[in-house]
Amino acid sequence: MFFRDRITTQESSTVRLLLGGKGTLTIREQSQVTLDESVTPEGTRRSVVGLLVGKIGAAIARSLMRPGEVIEIQTPNAVAAVRG
């Protein structure tokens, strides 16, 4: 899988991804998700999960994140973030 690839699930399917060893992302049925990553000017990593349609669940081990590291979840209606 590469950044900006789109993951699409069909009916009665689920995908589970490991996010850099810091957490898991569960993508539920009939969902579309994109993953992207960037480096801030300060040099910290910023991972972005874009939920286009459907449902996801994220379990992040905050204790494994470095200071300043961010995992952000963007949806058409809201944005949530976990900061290390």
Side-chain angles (χ1 to χ4, degrees):
M1 179 169 179
F2 297 100
F3 289 114
R4 297 190 187 134
D5 280 353
R6 182 176 291 181
I7 301 167
T8 303
T9 58
Q10 299 297 319
E11 190 171 329
S12 301
S13 64
T14 302
V15 173
R16 203 168 267 147
L17 298 173
L18 181 63
L19 298 175
K22 294 174 177 56
T24 57
L25 180 69
T26 303
I27 305 168
R28 304 298 303 224
E29 64 182 346
Q30 298 182 330
S31 299
Q32 290 183 6
V33 173
T34 59
L35 299 176
D36 202 359
E37 183 176 77
S38 62
V39 178
T40 64
E42 297 82 27
T44 56
R45 289 179 32 191
R46 179 177 177 207
S47 301
V48 179
V49 178
L51 175 63
L52 306 171
V53 175
K55 297 178 185 179
I56 61 171
I60 310 299
R62 189 171 182 185
S63 61
L64 297 176
M65 293 179 65
R66 296 182 184 141
E69 193 172 28
V70 177
I71 298 176
E72 188 173 286
I73 300 172
Q74 297 179 347
T75 72
N77 299 320
V79 174
V82 176
R83 303 184 193 284

